[in-house]
Amino acid sequence: MASDYQTPYKGVLGWLDDRLPVINFADQHLRFYPTPKNLTYAWNFGSLAGIALVIMIVTGVVLAMHYTPHTAYAFDSIQKIMRDVNYGWLLRYIHMNGASFFFIVVYIHIFRGLYYGSYKQPREVLWGLGVIILLLMMATAFMGYTLPWGQMSFWGATVITNLFSAVPVFGDEVTRWLWGGFAVGNPTLQRFFALHYLLPFVILGAVILHLVALHRYGSNNPTGIEPKGKQDQVPFHPYYTVKDLFGLGVFLIAFSLFVFYAPNYMGHADNYIPADPLVTPPHIVPEWYFLPFYAILRAIPSKLGGVLAMFASVLVLFVLPWLDRSRVRSGRYRPIFKQFFWLLVLDALVLGYVGAMPPEGIWIPIGQIATAYYFAFFLVILPLLGIFERPKPLPNSISDPVLKKGGGQPAGATAKPMEKA
Amino acid sequence: MKKLFAAVAMAATMGLASGPAQAAESTSLPEHTWEFEGVFGTFNRASAQRGLQVYNQVCSSCHGMKYVAFRTLEDLGYNEDQVEAIASQYTVTDGPNDQGEMYERPAEANDTFPSPYPNEVVAKNANGGAAPPDLSVITSARPGGPEYVRALMIGYEEAPADAELAPGQYWNEYFPGHKIGMPQMLMDGAVEYQDGTKATAEQMAHDVTTFLHWAANPHMEERKRMGLKVILFLIVLTGLLYAVQRKVWSDVKK
């Protein structure tokens, strides 16, 4: 049971570390942690997502102290927060826009993982945990949007919970069970609040597992080649702590522009009208980050088919590591993959646009074509590319491609950072 | 549940069934310049005070603002006594008293702008079936915000010959569907401004919308002031972090 661990620290720190090796843990995972030295800014979005989660939890906990989860008081309590609670407007605008920014950051993080093949062996579980986090985020965001109990809250909750009535045989029972009644009502709001408070901590747990899986093999990098030695790596601190902090600064500037100068830009005017079960808004539209999935839902003419397609669009990511048969990880060395990848990014944007449009006229076929491409990318194109694509030659190591360009630095020079650590 | 879903789908498709009407609905709102726009925009106090006068003399006969407390009017430049005086023009229902009965009393600073109707049903019945909405957050609750609210108030027109207006309905260019239950209230000279400003319909629409935008965003000025400081601070901090990053990474040959 006793381990051989000997703390290198002296004094009080040593006493603590001997009993609870947290300092050793931080050293290993934050300070000396060897990280590929060639990570681009695309790798900033992982830490940003973590910070976004913390921002959401901190503001959310304080908001919960002033919010009343009851259909008769929810809207009023939000107005109380916006008007009378000290800096309540600030807390709420940070939380509202924080949700959007959390999704922006996570979507970029996911597309980065896709482009550089970060889901490939041996990081399949790391990737799968990421998909679980995405699913949890979607559930949390959806339930959070219900809480202000405005028109879009109520009708959005009605439309989405109704999706479960597509379940064969038990559909109606499942939906009633979700609602806690015969329609979206007070029991629904109260359970959504309870779950909206709970799920972020489940996300936090999933994030910790995500990090455990990450630190098993370390970060992927733009070349997709594993580091071959110390010359390919730098310690996390100070190299990536400072880079992540700089990224955080840029993120906070963009975030602040919305919080302070366009706080309602990404919301819907309808949600400032108290929920009224007797009045249906002319267009029921989810928040922007769900629009691509909403477009997929509506692309399939049958209700059950639409619901299955929507869930499948996320679930397909779980099997992605086994669909992509290419042995080359990074899109950098995959000329054909690269083109299909950017087409997928465009496709996701098109789906998002279609999701915001009424399901009529030209938007129906466009949504269907975009949906078809989305699934074709994962289920047809990726498996075939693994067979037919001829990747470009890979460099021998992370340091290699740059050494050629950089005019032949001696290998010792690249190892220098490690001496400092 | 299937019925509900169908109803939602119906509502969505009805949107497309009424295509021509919709096309007409989306009459683009006239551009208007507000003092509260932009990074440095603030509420013009004189305009907002005139807007309050319009609200008191015109809007309040049908609308309430149940989230806006009289005490917050101090933000618009009134002192405590003035706020009490404004509040006392309104009557609110309070109670129960010692006898267990509800009673009416003049409003105080701590009350909110009351609706003239005791409840939604009375409001509906008195207004041809459409209750006048609460105006606390009206400029947030309509697409187009202040532009829409202003345009609506001066957007009354003669109904086209083929339009059928029910009794108590009016034709408004900017109202979705055009048939609105609120008559045109802002005619030139509808109020006599205390500060001598000429009370044209345009002027009153501008003033009352400024007031309503303040009512919906009472912390807007504080928000913008804070935002400026926060963003300037972040720009400097981020610049420094970039410099530190360059320095730290300078010994790594990539």
Side-chain angles (χ1 to χ4, degrees):
Chain A
M1 282 219 269
S3 81
D4 298 334
Y5 175 63
Q6 286 279 321
T7 179
Y9 292 93
K10 304 265 182 298
V12 178
L13 281 186
W15 183 87
L16 177 68
D17 196 49
D18 193 36
R19 284 148 184 82
L20 182 73
V22 281
I23 302 165
N24 173 56
F25 182 85
D27 271 352
Q28 279 188 13
H29 291 280
L30 290 170
R31 201 170 151 201
F32 305 128
Y33 179 64
T35 313
K37 65 178 190 175
N38 60 334
L39 300 187
T40 61
Y41 285 119
W43 265 261
N44 275 60
F45 292 89
S47 74
L48 284 180
I51 292 165
L53 176 64
V54 172
I55 291 174
M56 294 306 279
I57 289 179
V58 170
T59 52
V61 166
V62 183
L63 284 171
M65 296 174 189
H66 301 281
Y67 170 77
T68 311
H70 187 288
T71 52
Y73 307 105
F75 194 90
D76 293 8
S77 68
I78 300 279
Q79 281 301 314
K80 188 98 182 155
I81 289 169
M82 293 299 287
R83 291 166 190 277
D84 296 337
V85 171
N86 290 332
Y87 298 106
W89 58 269
L90 179 61
L91 283 168
R92 173 156 179 266
Y93 281 155
I94 289 175
H95 200 74
M96 270 168 67
N97 290 282
S100 283
F101 272 77
F102 197 178
F103 273 98
I104 292 173
V105 162
V106 163
Y107 284 154
I108 296 174
H109 186 61
I110 292 171
F111 274 111
R112 191 272 292 154
L114 262 175
Y115 184 80
Y116 291 107
S118 300
Y119 46 84
K120 289 193 187 184
Q121 197 265 338
R123 296 189 181 82
E124 302 96 322
V125 173
L126 168 61
W127 174 263
L129 284 163
V131 181
I132 289 173
I133 293 170
L134 174 64
L135 282 169
L136 288 168
M137 276 177 66
M138 294 169 99
T140 309
F142 160 66
M143 286 188 273
Y145 194 61
T146 306
L147 303 186
W149 209 245
Q151 272 291 65
M152 225 34 118
S153 295
F154 177 84
W155 289 98
T158 301
V159 171
I160 301 300
T161 49
N162 258 305
L163 296 180
F164 291 90
S165 68
V167 173
V169 187
F170 303 106
D172 287 357
E173 282 71 19
V174 169
T175 325
R176 273 202 292 272
W177 176 73
L178 287 174
W179 285 338
F182 295 95
V184 172
N186 197 52
T188 324
L189 177 62
Q190 289 191 313
R191 65 190 55 193
F192 277 19
F193 176 63
L195 293 172
H196 183 70
Y197 203 120
L198 169 72
L199 288 188
F201 298 96
V202 180
I203 294 178
L204 194 65
V207 166
I208 290 170
L209 292 179
H210 193 62
L211 289 174
V212 172
L214 172 71
H215 284 215
R216 176 72 179 86
Y217 291 101
S219 296
N220 183 26
N221 69 80
T223 65
I225 306 167
E226 295 295 338
K228 296 236 162 76
K230 293 213 183 291
Q231 73 281 3
D232 290 344
Q233 295 168 318
V234 290
F236 193 83
H237 180 77
Y239 293 94
Y240 284 108
T241 38
V242 70
K243 193 169 183 174
D244 281 347
L245 280 174
F246 167 65
L248 175 63
V250 175
F251 168 84
L252 288 178
I253 291 171
F255 185 38
S256 299
L257 286 173
F258 277 87
V259 168
F260 292 104
Y261 294 105
N264 291 308
Y265 181 78
M266 290 186 277
H268 296 287
D270 280 85
N271 229 26
Y272 279 99
I273 304 172
D276 185 347
L278 301 176
V279 180
T280 318
H283 297 293
I284 302 172
V285 184
E287 290 280 85
W288 70 265
Y289 38 78
F290 290 139
L291 289 175
F293 303 101
Y294 197 50
I296 290 173
L297 168 76
R298 299 191 303 183
I300 313 291
S302 107
K303 183 180 172 186
L304 180 59
V307 173
L308 289 176
M310 185 178 71
F311 282 107
S313 65
V314 181
L315 298 181
V316 72
L317 297 174
F318 278 116
V319 289
L320 172 61
W322 296 276
L323 291 172
D324 182 357
R325 308 298 301 168
S326 175
R327 301 170 87 178
V328 174
R329 235 186 237 141
S330 171
R332 218 182 238 190
Y333 307 104
R334 301 184 62 189
I336 305 176
F337 166 84
K338 205 184 272 187
Q339 292 169 29
F340 283 113
F341 169 83
W342 287 111
L343 199 55
L344 181 74
V345 174
L346 183 70
D347 189 64
L349 296 174
V350 169
L351 280 170
Y353 195 81
V354 171
M357 293 293 121
E360 62 189 56
I362 188 74
W363 301 115
I364 297 173
I366 292 178
Q368 288 171 339
I369 293 167
T371 302
Y373 179 76
Y374 181 89
F375 285 107
F377 176 85
F378 292 106
L379 299 175
V380 182
I381 295 168
L382 278 187
L384 290 181
L385 278 184
I387 303 169
F388 295 109
E389 186 183 39
R390 289 202 50 155
K392 290 198 237 168
L394 296 178
N396 290 326
S397 74
I398 290 176
S399 306
D400 198 33
V402 196
L403 282 180
K404 273 182 211 149
K405 269 192 276 174
Q409 292 286 339
T414 53
K416 205 175 138 214
M418 289 310 289
E419 292 162 18
K420 281 176 62 178
Chain B
M1 274 100 278
K2 275 177 195 138
K3 272 183 225 145
L4 251 174
F5 191 86
V8 170
M10 270 262 289
T13 42
M14 261 156 65
L16 74 116
S18 59
Q22 264 212 329
E25 265 172 42
S26 58
T27 318
S28 63
L29 297 167
E31 282 290 316
H32 188 71
T33 312
W34 305 97
E35 291 94 335
F36 54 73
E37 283 174 328
V39 173
F40 301 101
T42 54
F43 294 113
N44 181 318
R45 296 296 189 278
S47 175
Q49 292 196 0
R50 286 194 298 269
L52 171 64
Q53 195 188 336
V54 175
Y55 179 90
N56 284 338
Q57 295 181 10
V58 183
C59 312
S60 67
S61 57
C62 292
H63 298 272
M65 294 195 294
K66 64 174 172 176
Y67 300 116
V68 183
F70 291 105
R71 61 182 156 77
T72 57
L73 288 173
E74 288 190 33
D75 295 352
L76 292 181
Y78 296 101
N79 63 34
E80 246 174 90
D81 294 339
Q82 287 169 317
V83 168
E84 287 291 352
I86 293 165
S88 65
Q89 298 167 12
Y90 288 86
T91 305
V92 293
T93 305
D94 201 351
N97 61 13
D98 295 350
Q99 276 73 48
E101 278 155 14
M102 304 303 280
Y103 61 95
E104 300 207 322
R105 61 163 172 81
E108 291 165 12
N110 225 16
D111 292 309
T112 59
F113 282 86
S115 161
Y117 305 105
N119 59 55
E120 181 108 356
V121 180
V122 176
K124 270 186 186 163
N125 291 342
N127 290 281
D134 185 89
L135 297 183
S136 306
V137 288
I138 199 72
T139 64
S140 300
R142 296 290 180 276
E147 263 79 13
Y148 169 79
V149 172
R150 173 188 165 274
L152 185 82
M153 277 183 289
I154 51 176
Y156 286 85
E157 285 178 358
E158 200 64 41
D162 59 338
E164 282 178 37
L165 288 180
Q169 279 192 332
Y170 306 86
W171 190 265
N172 191 302
E173 196 183 348
Y174 303 105
F175 189 71
H178 298 299
K179 295 171 188 175
I180 187 170
M182 176 172 78
Q184 182 174 6
M185 297 304 291
L186 299 185
M187 319 282 191
D188 289 348
V191 302
E192 194 171 322
Y193 276 140
Q194 287 160 349
D195 66 1
T197 305
K198 194 156 180 277
T200 61
E202 285 260 334
Q203 181 67 44
M204 287 184 288
H206 175 88
D207 291 341
V208 79
T209 306
T210 298
F211 171 70
L212 290 173
H213 198 60
W214 165 80
N217 302 278
H219 298 291
M220 185 205 75
E221 293 179 356
E222 186 189 8
R223 189 180 81 220
K224 288 180 177 177
R225 271 198 309 272
M226 186 191 284
L228 196 64
K229 286 184 220 161
V230 167
I231 290 171
L232 287 177
F233 168 80
L234 283 173
I235 288 172
V236 173
L237 176 73
T238 307
L240 287 172
L241 285 168
Y242 184 68
V244 175
Q245 184 192 319
R246 290 279 303 257
K247 180 101 174 68
V248 166
W249 279 83
S250 63
D251 59 356
V252 181
K253 289 284 170 275
K254 285 201 271 179

